[in-house]
């Protein structure tokens, strides 16, 4: 049999779910896994769908099972496993056979792989896939990078398996080389930030207002009916309501406060720094995960400063304040993410479709939310304008920024850590400062390094009266 329209290598959770999704959409799919003993179990899990799935124990047989020109999705761990898999596969393929890396690749690696493929004259795509296991099975959000021809070749399959927003597929070509994986990386940076903002508000309710997990869950459920409607708020409500099967306690209270990470949030922060794009909420979220992991340090800190925190701010804040603070924080965090995407687009000559990025995130992905539709509209009007100053979001911020300030100030006053909320506020206060204090920085730079500065009253590079003076003996 050599008639599978597409192949999937890697039958971990994501690969297995993606292969089933492809078969569920009527395509014949060939699968292979390095540990071949996984294949029969997978075919059994696939049930009726296995009619359209052919499992192959060897790479050779897998390749032979595909219709030509071949299209092969790799769903293997990001990094060197992808390169090893490509190296093993390429000698078995024809020149027009295409490899599609669907893992969470670092976009620099996708760029390199795209360059190598271009040099060898073979097609390659790097696609970012979001939505976790459920998304992979029933409709993920897909962000494609590579040549437009490569994308067009498999677009019908990727669109069919993707999530749909009002019938529109959430699978979009983003641009050449690493563009798709870059957009996915920023998605994850925003994911970190959105999660952290929610976690901080949860912390205010838990530690500052003495609320039980179930009550907090009910608040999230309510918010999910309003402006904050989103997958992350929805699941936050669900996890807060859930009980531990062993102890009967709220499961949240049984989970150790030490967060893991695979690194995509960190990559976003690193790329933002490289591009000079301010993303303080994302950076705060990465920092918070790192600090959460440093549990021993936190325990010794809590020991050394036992009375650093007050737990009585219940009277100072309302649920409306917290909701509005989260609205403001969310807008500011997305404004930073899109600003970063815009800068990366210009720097790399990608011409990223800014409104389409907001659109591809409306369904299927982890950060899907009602607000993304409004963002796509704001970005259609002016793709390069910071979302915070787009009229619709500026009005929302005017209504919610006072609450963000109140929540941040109250939490800080009580010694509660709210790094992402604070970073959002500091970003807003800087963004709205017609006059910052960078004149002091420029003066300092000129004083110690003769770096020169611009003047407020005329053009050109100037020096202060100190030039040469302090160097005299
Ligand atoms: C997605 C997610 C996913 C990510 C996990 C874990 O869009 O489906 O972003 O790709 O890998 O959520 O990420 P961390 O381990 O870094 O939290």
């Amino acid at each position: 049999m050599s008639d599978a329209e597409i192949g999937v290598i890697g039958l971990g959770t994501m690969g297995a779910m993606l292969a089933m999704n492809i078969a569920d959409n009527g395509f014949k799919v060939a699968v292979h896994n390095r540990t071949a003993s996984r294949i029969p179990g997978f075919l059994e899990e696939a049930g009726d769908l296995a009619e359209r799935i052919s499992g192959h124990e060897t790479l050779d047989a897998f390749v032979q099972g595909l219709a030509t020109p071949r299209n092969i999705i790799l769903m293997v761990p990001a990094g060197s496993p992808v390169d090893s898999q490509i190296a093993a596969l390429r000698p078995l393929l024809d020149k027009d056979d295409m490899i599609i890396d669907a893992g969470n690749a670092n976009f620099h690696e996708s760029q390199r792989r795209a360059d190598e493929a271009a040099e060898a004259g073979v097609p390659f795509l790097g696609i970012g896939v979001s939505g976790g296991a459920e998304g992979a099975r029933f409709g993920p959000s897909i962000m494609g990078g590579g040549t437009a021809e490569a994308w067009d070749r498999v677009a019908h399959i990727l669109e069919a398996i993707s999530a749909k927003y009002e019938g529109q597929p959430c699978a979009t070509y983003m641009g050449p080389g690493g563009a798709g994986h870059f957009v996915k990386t920023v998605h994850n940076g925003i994911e970190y930030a959105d999660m952290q903002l929610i976690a901080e508000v949860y912390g205010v309710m838990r530690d500052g207002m003495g609320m039980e997990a179930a009550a907090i869950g009910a608040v999230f459920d309510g918010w999910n009916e309003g402006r904050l409607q989103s997958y992350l708020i929805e699941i936050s409500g669900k996890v807060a309501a859930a009980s531990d099967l062993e102890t009967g306690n709220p499961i949240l209270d049984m989970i150790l406060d030490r967060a893991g990470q695979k690194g995509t949030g960190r990559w976003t922060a690193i790329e933002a720094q490289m591009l000079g794009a301010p993303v303080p909420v994302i950076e705060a979220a990465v920092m918070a995960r790192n600090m959460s992991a440093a549990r021993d340090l936190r325990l010794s800190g809590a020991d050394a400063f036992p009375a650093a925190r007050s737990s009585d701010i219940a009277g100072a804040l309302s649920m409306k304040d917290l909701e509005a603070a989260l609205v403001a924080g969310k807008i500011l965090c997305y404004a930073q993410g899109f600003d970063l995407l815009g800068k990366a687009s210009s720097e790399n000559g990608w011409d990223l479709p800014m409104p389409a990025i907001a659109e591809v995130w409306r369904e299927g992905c982890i950060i899907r939310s009602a607000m993304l539709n409004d963002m796509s509209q704001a970005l259609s009007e002016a793709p390069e304008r910071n979302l915070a100053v787009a009229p619709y979001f500026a009005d929302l911020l005017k209504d919610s920024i006072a609450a963000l300030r109140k929540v941040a100030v109250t939490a800080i006053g009580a010694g509660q850590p709210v790094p992402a909320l604070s970073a959002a506020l500091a970003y807003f206060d800087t963004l709205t400062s017609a006059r910052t204090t960078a004149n002091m920085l420029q003066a300092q730079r000129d004083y110690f390094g003769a770096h020169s500065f611009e003047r407020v009253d005329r053009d050109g590079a100037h020096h202060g009266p100190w030039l040469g003076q302090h160097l005299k003996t």
Side-chain angles (χ1 to χ4, degrees), residues 155-425:
H156 65 292
I157 302 178
L158 299 177
E159 286 171 1
I161 65 166
S162 74
K164 310 289 180 300
Y165 178 85
E166 293 181 356
Q168 214 178 307
C170 293
T172 303
Y173 174 64
M174 295 297 164
H181 274 130
F182 185 83
V183 173
K184 174 62 171 56
T185 298
V186 177
H187 165 283
N188 280 33
I190 294 174
E191 172 185 304
Y192 275 45
D194 210 338
M195 291 166 72
Q196 178 64 24
L197 288 166
I198 295 170
E200 288 177 16
V201 168
Y202 154 74
V204 169
M205 289 191 262
R206 183 190 70 183
D207 300 329
M209 308 175 88
M211 289 170 64
E212 296 295 333
I216 297 173
V219 171
F220 286 144
D221 290 347
W223 290 353
N224 199 38
E225 302 296 315
R227 183 96 52 211
L228 288 170
Q229 190 282 318
S230 62
Y231 174 69
L232 284 170
I233 287 285
E234 179 193 329
I235 65 165
S236 301
K238 287 186 176 153
V239 299
S243 299
D244 177 27
L245 295 178
E246 285 171 39
T247 60
N249 294 335
I251 185 73
L252 271 183
D253 294 345
M254 303 307 293
I255 298 176
L256 195 65
D257 58 340
R258 190 151 62 187
Q261 54 181 314
K262 298 204 191 75
T264 40
R266 184 187 310 147
W267 294 347
T268 310
I270 290 170
E271 295 309 327
Q273 289 291 350
M274 298 300 283
L275 290 163
V279 294
V281 185
I282 296 171
E283 286 165 348
V286 176
M287 178 281 290
R289 285 208 194 185
N290 295 339
M291 292 275 303
S292 82
R295 184 159 181 265
D296 290 345
L297 172 66
R298 290 186 290 105
L299 292 180
S300 65
D303 240 18
F305 300 94
R309 186 152 311 176
S310 134
S311 58
D312 187 18
I313 50 176
L317 296 173
S318 70
M319 292 302 126
K320 280 258 161 286
D321 291 333
L322 294 177
E323 182 181 18
L326 214 38
V327 168
K330 181 165 174 137
I331 294 169
L332 293 164
C333 132
Y334 281 67
Q336 293 164 21
F338 278 102
D339 183 45
L340 166 59
L341 286 163
K343 288 205 167 61
S345 181
S346 320
E347 178 74 18
N348 295 296
W350 283 335
D351 199 18
L352 290 178
M354 301 297 283
I357 296 175
E359 282 166 22
V360 87
W361 290 346
R362 287 181 303 192
E363 269 305 336
C365 68
I366 303 295
I367 64 170
R368 60 187 184 259
S369 76
M371 233 186 247
L372 276 161
N373 193 41
D374 301 319
M375 288 180 187
S376 83
Q377 273 166 26
L379 290 163
S380 308
E381 290 157 20
E384 278 160 31
R385 180 181 56 195
N386 188 299
L387 279 176
V389 296
Y392 176 82
F393 289 104
D395 282 348
L396 276 183
L397 279 172
K398 279 177 193 152
D399 287 345
S400 58
I401 200 72
L404 175 59
R405 195 177 302 285
K406 185 175 170 191
V407 170
V409 165
T410 308
I412 290 168
Q416 280 214 23
V418 283
L421 289 166
S422 312
L425 188 60

Side-chain angles (χ1 to χ4, degrees), residues 90 99 111-125:
R90 262 291 152 213
I99 295 178
Q111 190 68 54
R112 170 184 51 81
R113 289 176 190 129
D115 290 346
E116 287 167 359
E119 211 163 291
V122 296
F124 174 81
L125 272 181

